[in-house]
């Protein structure tokens, strides 16, 4: 069964939104504290320095 094309239930949509918000806030916290983050990109781990992380709020 292919779950990629299955619409999310309202509960799953709320969970998905909450997880995305938590990730964005954690990344922002790293940026503000001057800590790098590690991501998976093109099959390898890439470290992004804090000064290269775009701010969460554009008004900052």
């Amino acid at each position: 069964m292919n779950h990629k094309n299955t619409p999310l239930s309202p509960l799953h949509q709320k969970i998905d939104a909450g997880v995305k918000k938590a990730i964005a806030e954690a990344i922002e916290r790293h940026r503000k504290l001057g800590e790098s983050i590690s991501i998976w990109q093109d099959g390898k781990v890439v470290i992004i320095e804090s000064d290269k992380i775009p701010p969460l709020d554009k008004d900052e």
Side-chain angles (χ1 to χ4, degrees):
M1 182 174 205
N2 183 357
H3 294 285
K4 290 183 180 182
N5 296 326
T6 304
L8 295 177
S9 71
L11 176 59
H12 286 106
Q13 290 175 15
K14 288 180 182 180
I15 292 168
D16 189 55
V19 169
K20 287 177 181 178
K21 182 178 181 212
I23 291 169
E25 290 172 354
I27 291 170
E28 177 67 3
R29 187 169 45 252
H30 276 73
R31 186 187 69 79
K32 286 182 175 179
L33 293 173
E35 300 173 345
S36 62
I37 61 171
S38 300
I39 63 168
W40 187 259
Q41 185 176 48
D42 299 326
K44 47 186 147 171
V45 175
V46 176
I47 297 173
I48 302 175
E49 298 299 327
S50 62
D51 61 339
K52 302 293 185 205
I53 300 171
L56 182 59
D57 295 326
K58 294 179 183 176
D59 298 330
E60 200 170 311

